[in-house]
Amino acid sequence: MKLKNVSRYLSPYVYIVPAIAVFVLFLFFPFIKTIYLSLFKTNKMGQAKLFVGGGNYSDLFSSASFFNSLFVTAIFVLIVVSVSMLLGLITAILCNQSFPGIRIFSTAYALPMAIASSSAAMIFKIMLHPTIGIINKLLGLHTNWISDPRYALVCVALLSAWLNSGINFLYFSAGLSNIDNTLYERASVDGANSAQKFFRLTLPGLSPIMFYTLVVNIIQAFQAFGQVKVLTMGGPGESTNLIVYSIYRDAFFNYRFGSAAAQSVILFMVIMILTLCMFHLEKKGVHY
Amino acid sequence: STQTGSENITESQTKEDITTSAAPVASTTITFWHSMGGVNGEAINALVEKFNKENTSGITVEAQYQGSYDDAINKLKSAQIGNMGADLVQIYDIGTRFMIDSGWVIPMQKLIDEDKWDINQVEPNIAAYYTVGGTLYSMPFNSSTPILYYNKDMFKKAGITKVPDSLPGIDRIGDDLLKKGGAGEVISLGIYGWFFEQFTCKQQAHYADSGNGREAAATAVDFDKNGAGVKTLTAWKTLSDKGYAPNVGRGGDAGLADFSAGKSAITLGSTASLKQILNDVNGKFEVGTAYFPKVSDDDKGGVSIGGGSLWALNNNDVNKQSATWEFIKFLVSPESQAYWNSQTGYFPITTAAHQEPVFKDNISKFPQFQTAIDQLHDSTPQSAGALLSIFPEARQTVETEIENMINNKGTPEAAVTKMGESINKSITDYNLLNK
Amino acid sequence: MASLSLVNVCKTFKNGQIAVKDFNLDIKDEEFLILVGPSGCGKSTTLRMIAGLEEISSGELWIDGALMNLTVPQKRDLAMVFQSYALYPHLTVYENIAFSLRVRNIPQIEIEERVKKAADILCIRHLLDRKPFALSGGQKQRVAIGSVIVRKPKAYLMDEPLSNLDAKLRTQMRVELSKIHKELGATIIYVTHDQVEAMTLGTKIVVMNAGVIQQAAPPEVLYNNPVNKFVAGFIGSPSMNFIPVWVERREERICIVFSNNRLFLNEDNAHCLIESGYLGRRVYLGIRPEDFHETGPKEQAIKLKVEIKEVLGSDILLHGKIGGNPICGRLKPDFPSEAGTEVSIFADMNRILLFDLDTEENILDH
Amino acid sequence: MASLSLVNVCKTFKNGQIAVKDFNLDIKDEEFLILVGPSGCGKSTTLRMIAGLEEISSGELWIDGALMNLTVPQKRDLAMVFQSYALYPHLTVYENIAFSLRVRNIPQIEIEERVKKAADILCIRHLLDRKPFALSGGQKQRVAIGSVIVRKPKAYLMDEPLSNLDAKLRTQMRVELSKIHKELGATIIYVTHDQVEAMTLGTKIVVMNAGVIQQAAPPEVLYNNPVNKFVAGFIGSPSMNFIPVWVERREERICIVFSNNRLFLNEDNAHCLIESGYLGRRVYLGIRPEDFHETGPKEQAIKLKVEIKEVLGSDILLHGKIGGNPICGRLKPDFPSEAGTEVSIFADMNRILLFDLDTEENILDH
Amino acid sequence: MESVIEMAAKDINSDELENFKKKILKKALFRRRASKLILTILNLFVALFLLLPLLYAVSIAFMPSNELFTTNLNLIPSTPTFNNFRQAMAKIPLKRFIVNSFVVAGFITMGQIISCSLAAFSFSFLDFKGKNVLFMLVMATMMIPGEATIISNYLTVSSLKWLDTYQVLIIPYLTSAMGIFLFRQFYKSFPISLYESARIDGCSNLRFIYSILIPLTKSAIGAMAVYTFINAWNMYLWPLLVTGSDKMRTVQIGIGMLDSVDSQSISMMIAGVVMIIVPSISVFIIGQKQLIRGMFSGAVKG
Ligand SMILES: Nc1ncnc2c1ncn2[C@@H]1O[C@H](COP(=O)(O)OP(=O)(O)OP(=O)(O)O)[C@@H](O)[C@H]1O
Ligand SMILES: Nc1ncnc2c1ncn2[C@@H]1O[C@H](COP(=O)(O)OP(=O)(O)OP(=O)(O)O)[C@@H](O)[C@H]1O
Ligand SMILES: [Mg+2]
Ligand SMILES: [Mg+2]
């Protein structure tokens, strides 16, 4: 009897053990190390050398460059998330009804995800090139897309949005397929037109997955890296110096692991707070 | 990296001994990390294969691609902590100071001296870069200098016979090129830290203090104090303000596309890019080469080299050490270097290679390459260029500030000041933490 | 409200299943039409075709004189209670009921009023803030009804709307539906398995079997004068007893004969049988359980060995067999009978029915 | 099979809703227990607690002498038909029915045999290859029953398993369930709204209201001797008529008086009333509709103005009001009556019930 | 429908009626077809727009490089060539890389689906102490920037002597918070009565997961599998760091190997990119079958 109770008590944990084990070993443990490092100045090997306590943090908070990174990142995330979710949603809805060729189209919509961000950036780099780039040629412009601080961030953001739109399409499609068809039936008998069905049924029905997509998109946008590295390297000036790129630069380039670690921790905190806010909102807003 | 060499012994016993003074080394495998992709990687693999086949000492070299230069040095850092070492690594020019300070390496000089190898085989202007305090730390391998490429057709159309040798010179012919030559832009000048360094060299100024970082670890940059930086940027900005040198983006190859596409009349680029440029142009127009431009007409300096060199890592294994040395010797042999040059467009680092038929064939096929050789020979070891522990960061800073200057139309002085401040702070930090 | 007309309507599903065949029916304005039939006979499918949720395979659907075959559901202006409730899981009860009004942009105040009124009728006022998952089955069903009665559509379609309610509530709802029908002059098409609902609510009942209409008639006609054995057996609970009998002439009178029993027919029936030439042939005798009486003329007594006695409270049901045919009689609770004993019961000869042995059609015409 | 015992079981939902309160019940082995009560009274919740799907907020659940409060459902070895069917949408009917056998690793052959047998009982043999979406409501419900009757669990829990079936099929299923109960000696707990099912199937009926047991007794007891007005009104359809009346002594006899009517009680009842001191007080009179007769002693006649006449076929229902209380009488179809006319009907005085005005408890004890 | 056809059927004779009917049906049918056509055209536009970069990349891959470097409009190669592909194939052992990538991505995908569905099941169907805290911890792992952990992970695996093996590429990625989160969100709208029914049927949790939950959340699993696979396929930094030899290298590093400093052949690199996209597209096309509509229709009431 007692044994049975113990197993009953433990069984929920058994299901999460495989996941947690990997997390602990490869994420929590190293991240705690990172937090530790963020309290130090490091040598070129990335080893803690000089304890500075909050020194790295206060350095960051007095650095215009860091605030620029945060600001740029915020704008980047905003554009990426809104555009990619919109693209994903539009394409998912376009492919929600059956019509000839649907499989081809849905493949097309998901395709951007099949490309690694650095490969995609390579393609975009050529497309956006002011002289040989197809975009300028098609539009008859001579815009210097990625060397102009006005456009560079938008370009990187649109590239990322394009990349993410594929997986968002998949998520939304999967979400749509989860909505019970009889609800649509009832709604149409109730007199709801397509738009009303969309706003009153589809969107709420998608809300769990919408929430998921939002959270994941935000988190991933915050961590976008490959495209920046290939396309702009943080430039022009620091106009695309996203925080993750800045972390990368400090850690792997500038021999400042301490600062990079501190930025990682701050980034973590920022995302964490954002996510907590979203979960809080979910409890209120997301249905089911 | 644990492959045994036993098969290779039996196979190589029949082969002729090509390494002249080989101390017999019983079946050793060494690992060689490099950052050569594409055609370069192909050439390296061919050389390695040849060495593995032909050496009689039972040495097997395992060449491993480790990503870009940046990737490779980072991996080296983690590997040195984590003990998955290589025996020989290829590191870029700006990693030199870092490697010297790291304490992981066996100075090349030591191997050379032990073997009584004649160091004079190496081009002195190239060796100079890697020589600090009289010690050659690494063996130059893939070296290049920047040169000026120009569109001969456009020059002809514009009626220009003298290729400009300075930035003001370019400025002077700008209008002709645009109006008569039919150029879309005068010069596609990529925003590249290396070019900035070269412009400093050209002015015979130091980039950093402590003898350009060669007498001791630099404590600050010098270009902000000796005026070289401001001069460079002023000339650059003049071109840019006139619209002759529009912003084509960051990096050494940023300007090449416009040139290959026949839009810009002039571009600056590495000598190693020659083949690819010719390939991309593919006869659309004639490509000419000239010396890297001076900043003002009366500058007397030369250019310094860039590229990568080979570093022997200290793994406390005598066998591996001598095997590594054998392999290096093979790589820098005239034969190998001539082959290397013909395949990649990097300099042959030994003068003897110039005698190899392969080299001669190549230079007759690509006469433009002679410019590079001449330019190198016209330089002096004094132009060897700076060593700086935080060079990668410094370059980024320089590029960022140049970009800002061009885009935000700030003054050259302000840009140089900002560069100085920012780089100096990093140097100070670095020196403090890595005593 | 509206009149509907179905002409030769057929429905074949993708898997080849023919659910409705040659359905012809005129539903007049203000009619309360009841669809009944065995499980799987095509009632829901018919409703869904009218609503526009299933495509009509062939045939025509007219609503108020307009051909509606290809009109999308939201343009048909009908309201439907689904057999499966189909509540929106993310909306509260209030919003579920209000949904169809909201999509019509009806002013907030009016919505509130109508929803509250519907909720009162359905006794779910206290549940308005709940989400469907926190409702019991019957409560869900009432919400589904609520979302329909707030509207004033051309016609109401209701698919077993009261199946999960208790008897008392059901009676109450029945009265409310009846009121709505009368007050609004609503056209209602209503699927039910409940005989009482069918008999009391309907102005016309349609009996279906395997996708085919068997009879469409007012309740009393259906009950008293079913067109065939199927309808006769289907309507009425417990259902009618059937016994194959010989039609013979004995003692100068026409009688039906079966396993030791011999029942004399009344004049009208006898006449009718002779006229249509059934004398000497076999037919099915049909007697409803409630048409057995405890008393009667001795010579008409039918002996029944009681196998099971079911006590319903108001009545008792006696089950037994006659000549291998299961027989059920509904008698007064004080009728002395016990399982295992034999009782004499008497058929009301004025209420018997006779059916052709082959076509199973009703021979007599009351 | 098994015996169950619920001791002081309570259930409070997260939103504060108290669904079941102080539920005490012993369910003996082989019992066929029926749970009835108004919609939302806690029947399903009780079943779900027994099954282990809802946590028991307080109290104890014993199955075969073992405390089961915290046992996971799959270890309780019960079978349940859900009110909402809960079929697996991706499995065919066959696989749906076979599922519970498959998870027990029963040999293929035996599974096949049992599934086929169940399918035959339920008349869904031809549907075995279909997926649930291609079934009608009643067919789904039968599949849900099928997936339960293939098993031989400790007890069957059934939540309105026949609600979507037609009367005929329902009768048939009732018989089958009855058979299963007898043949397997199964313990069955059964929720239904159908009075006939409740009265014919159950060995014991539990009437619940608002989460509280009102009475647990065999069907006849419940019908004839309900403990209170609620039970009396709940059991029986149409439900019992209630009229507040005065208990008075007239002409040396005890009678009940209400709006111009005066009915004499029989000896037993009169005695009982006097004993318990109700003379001169007000009580509720309860008469079932079927306890009105067409004939009787003149002085006992009750005048009813017929407002609605419902023709059921076997009977008619007359609705009217007496002193503002709605009254329904069930009478023979040939009883001359028309909506709008006044009729005289007679209450069976041996079958009336009287309830305390405040506690609503039954005063008489038959 | 619309006012034109609001005429009573009885007002006209049968021929007219027939014609009239035909007309209406034709019109409605036409409207239906037209709306499908519009939908298709709309899709065509959106798809073209979204695919432009990819199509252009394919086009570049077939261009000799001198065609790329031109100021003229060069949407499609005028002298298409396989040369870029040939060169790319010659420079790197692409086949071996593809096999490696398949092995790694395949195992990671399977592992993630299993571990994530198990964990998500526990988080959404079971109740236990510390559930919310644990879930937030899991979520937190998503927010840790990869750059912040990679060095220390490198040290971990090298101390385990895993370098240059398959497991080092696979094991750290055997689970993902995103996957757990995704499944949890999907399970939220899963009809709970199916779980209950299965439990009463005597179904163990594991059995429930694999015979009910997984088949019914195919679309989510499909999306997740495709995503995981492609992500694993596209990993760069980690494989670069922990593998050394070509034996273990994956395709993305292969692409890197096409890039030569100082003499970059863009068209060849794009050819390489195109080549390694092909397998990932195939995976998607296979996985796509799982994204079918309408799983729950009619399974449960209300
Ligand atoms: N998950 C829940 N949360 C809160 N309240 C609930 C929940 N489920 C049921 N209830 C409420 O508990 C009460 C009892 O519900 P239950 O489902 O047991 O009723 P029932 O007797 O089965 O009714 P019905 O005959 O309508 O099915 C109802 O009032 C219902 O609204
Ligand atoms: N989508 C479908 N595909 C194939 N056959 C179907 C489909 N839906 C229903 N059917 C079949 O069509 C027939 C009619 O179904 P329908 O739902 O109309 O029955 P019903 O009369 O409503 O029955 P019930 O009283 O059981 O609800 C049934 O035999 C059913 O199995
Ligand atoms: Mg139905
Ligand atoms: Mg219930």
Side-chain angles (χ1 to χ4, degrees), chain A residues 44 129 131 144 237 249 256, chain B residues 247 258 393 396 403 434:
Chain A
K44 65 188 171 203
H129 193 281
T131 305
N144 208 337
R249 228 160 51 173
R256 280 197 294 263
Chain B
N247 182 2
D258 281 12
E393 182 180 5
Q396 287 256 353
E403 223 162 25
N434 296 287

Side-chain angles (χ1 to χ4, degrees), chain D residues 68-113:
Chain D
M68 286 289 186
N69 280 39
L70 290 177
T71 309
V72 291
Q74 65 262 43
K75 298 255 168 75
R76 296 194 187 188
D77 192 19
L78 304 171
M80 176 158 174
V81 180
F82 284 75
Q83 191 167 8
S84 64
Y85 318 149
L87 304 182
Y88 306 117
H90 61 302
L91 300 181
T92 59
V93 168
Y94 182 97
E95 287 302 328
N96 258 291
I97 298 178
F99 186 81
S100 60
L101 304 177
R102 290 230 190 280
V103 298
R104 289 191 166 63
N105 298 319
I106 287 174
Q108 186 60 42
I109 297 182
E110 191 177 341
I111 291 182
E112 173 129 12
E113 189 187 310

Side-chain angles (χ1 to χ4, degrees), chain B residues 364-381:
Chain B
S364 62
K365 216 162 113 204
F366 304 111
Q368 293 98 329
F369 193 69
Q370 190 60 45
T371 313
I373 307 253
D374 294 345
Q375 180 180 240
L376 181 68
H377 289 162
D378 277 357
S379 292
T380 59

Side-chain angles (χ1 to χ4, degrees), chain A residues 4-288:
Chain A
K4 232 163 109 190
N5 266 344
V6 168
S7 81
R8 180 188 140 87
Y9 182 76
L10 282 183
S11 81
Y13 297 98
V14 173
Y15 296 98
I16 42 178
V17 160
I20 295 288
V22 174
F23 286 142
V24 167
L25 191 56
F26 292 103
L27 282 160
F28 293 136
F29 168 66
F31 191 63
I32 288 168
K33 239 166 136 178
T34 302
I35 296 176
Y36 169 79
L37 270 187
S38 76
L39 304 176
F40 288 81
K41 293 269 185 208
T42 52
N43 68 4
K44 65 188 171 203
M45 301 292 297
Q47 287 155 332
K49 196 78 183 218
L50 179 70
F51 181 77
V52 291
N56 286 323
Y57 294 94
S58 60
D59 280 358
L60 285 174
F61 283 118
S62 59
S63 135
S65 165
F66 178 68
F67 279 108
N68 173 63
S69 280
L70 284 183
F71 176 70
V72 170
T73 308
I75 297 195
F76 176 82
V77 168
L78 209 70
I79 301 178
V80 173
V81 171
S82 52
V83 174
S84 70
M85 288 196 42
L86 203 65
L87 276 180
L89 190 60
I90 290 173
T91 47
I93 286 164
L94 276 177
C95 263
N96 193 31
Q97 271 168 22
S98 87
F99 61 93
I102 182 161
R103 293 199 61 173
I104 296 168
F105 287 120
S106 55
T107 310
Y109 295 145
L111 266 192
M113 70 185 282
I115 311 170
S117 58
S118 47
S119 308
M122 229 146 71
I123 298 172
F124 268 64
K125 201 171 181 178
I126 300 170
M127 293 185 36
L128 292 171
H129 193 281
T131 305
I132 63 167
I134 196 78
I135 302 281
N136 273 348
K137 287 180 186 172
L138 284 177
L139 300 178
L141 294 174
H142 296 282
T143 312
N144 208 337
W145 298 106
I146 40 184
S147 320
D148 190 322
R150 276 174 303 170
Y151 303 126
L153 184 64
V154 177
C155 287
V156 182
L158 288 182
L159 160 63
S160 316
W162 177 70
L163 280 172
N164 289 354
S165 70
I167 184 65
N168 288 348
F169 162 76
L170 282 195
Y171 288 149
F172 287 138
S173 294
L176 286 177
S177 75
N178 244 19
I179 302 176
D180 193 335
N181 211 21
T182 46
L183 298 184
Y184 282 105
E185 292 186 341
R186 186 190 143 193
S188 48
V189 176
D190 277 350
N193 59 29
S194 308
Q196 285 166 327
K197 272 188 239 170
F198 176 74
F199 285 108
R200 291 172 184 276
L201 270 193
T202 310
L203 280 189
L206 275 182
S207 62
I209 213 60
M210 195 79 98
F211 171 72
Y212 164 82
T213 320
L214 184 68
V215 172
V216 167
N217 268 275
I218 288 182
I219 292 177
Q220 289 198 323
F222 266 108
Q223 303 189 7
F225 169 68
Q227 51 270 53
V228 181
K229 191 177 172 219
V230 174
L231 209 56
T232 63
M233 294 191 292
E238 295 209 325
S239 60
T240 57
N241 191 15
L242 300 185
I243 189 152
V244 172
Y245 188 71
S246 162
I247 293 172
Y248 166 81
R249 228 160 51 173
D250 269 349
F252 295 124
F253 227 74
N254 301 344
Y255 314 127
R256 280 197 294 263
F257 281 91
S259 164
Q263 289 179 62
S264 304
V265 174
I266 293 173
L267 175 61
F268 175 80
M269 299 298 263
V270 169
I271 306 181
M272 184 74 153
I273 290 168
L274 254 180
T275 312
L276 281 177
C277 289
M278 287 189 286
F279 268 89
H280 190 69
L281 286 183
E282 185 210 16
K283 277 208 186 107
K284 281 197 200 151
V286 175
H287 308 294
Y288 287 95

Side-chain angles (χ1 to χ4, degrees), chain D residues 95-304:
Chain D
E95 287 302 328
N96 258 291
I97 298 178
F99 186 81
S100 60
L101 304 177
R102 290 230 190 280
V103 298
R104 289 191 166 63
N105 298 319
I106 287 174
Q108 186 60 42
I109 297 182
E110 191 177 341
I111 291 182
E112 173 129 12
E113 189 187 310
R114 288 213 224 164
V115 172
K116 292 260 160 82
K117 194 173 148 214
D120 285 340
I121 291 178
L122 298 161
C123 315
I124 48 173
R125 185 84 179 241
H126 60 295
L127 303 174
L128 286 178
D129 292 331
R130 296 231 192 129
K131 294 261 176 83
F133 77 88
L135 298 179
S136 78
Q139 289 165 342
K140 279 180 206 160
Q141 198 162 41
R142 280 178 279 164
V143 175
I145 301 173
S147 65
V148 155
I149 60 173
V150 288
R151 286 182 54 194
K152 292 186 185 68
K154 285 200 181 144
Y156 294 96
L157 312 176
M158 303 196 180
D159 202 347
E160 305 186 27
L162 308 180
S163 62
N164 284 96
L165 302 185
D166 56 282
K168 201 163 168 189
L169 202 53
R170 197 181 297 195
T171 315
Q172 201 173 320
M173 291 302 124
R174 218 162 68 208
V175 174
E176 294 296 342
L177 284 177
S178 197
K179 257 195 212 152
I180 290 174
H181 175 227
K182 273 180 201 121
E183 280 168 19
L184 299 181
T187 309
I188 301 181
I189 307 173
Y190 190 101
V191 174
T192 184
H193 285 311
D194 190 304
Q195 301 266 345
V196 180
E197 270 168 40
M199 297 302 277
T200 53
L201 284 176
T203 57
K204 192 196 246 176
I205 299 181
V206 174
V207 182
M208 291 178 72
N209 187 24
V212 179
I213 295 186
Q214 302 294 319
Q215 186 170 10
E220 309 81 48
V221 176
L222 214 60
Y223 190 85
N224 297 323
N225 207 6
V227 291
N228 57 23
K229 184 168 166 249
F230 176 82
V231 176
F234 192 79
I235 297 290
S237 169
S239 60
M240 188 178 268
N241 304 295
F242 294 106
I243 312 168
V245 297
W246 289 101
V247 182
E248 285 177 14
R249 187 190 293 269
R250 299 238 178 122
E251 304 167 26
E252 297 297 298
R253 288 173 69 186
I254 304 298
C255 65
I256 46 180
V257 179
F258 57 99
S259 49
N260 298 333
N261 290 291
R262 184 211 52 199
L263 305 178
F264 292 106
L265 297 179
N266 67 14
E267 287 289 313
D268 286 357
N269 291 348
H271 195 71
C272 185
L273 273 184
I274 296 170
E275 290 244 309
S276 38
Y278 278 96
L279 198 59
R281 283 172 60 187
R282 272 186 93 166
V283 296
Y284 278 116
L285 162 70
I287 316 172
R288 295 196 184 279
E290 62 269 26
D291 290 335
F292 285 113
H293 296 304
E294 297 80 4
T295 52
K298 217 172 176 184
E299 73 274 16
Q300 297 275 60
I302 303 172
K303 294 251 181 301
L304 182 72

Side-chain angles (χ1 to χ4, degrees), chain B residues 305-336:
Chain B
I305 57 135
S309 62
L310 305 174
W311 295 82
L313 293 179
N314 186 0
N315 285 333
N316 294 322
D317 181 333
V318 207
N319 279 348
K320 289 202 170 196
Q321 188 177 311
S322 54
T324 304
W325 173 239
E326 285 308 316
F327 179 55
I328 292 174
K329 269 196 299 186
F330 167 80
L331 284 181
V332 299
S333 68
E335 201 190 343
S336 304

Side-chain angles (χ1 to χ4, degrees), chain C residues 13 17 39-45 83 193, chain D residues 130 134 136-139:
Chain C
F13 281 108
Q17 169 81 26
S39 169
C41 72
K43 305 179 293 295
S44 297
T45 306
Q83 191 167 11
H193 286 313
Chain D
R130 296 231 192 129
S136 78
Q139 289 165 342

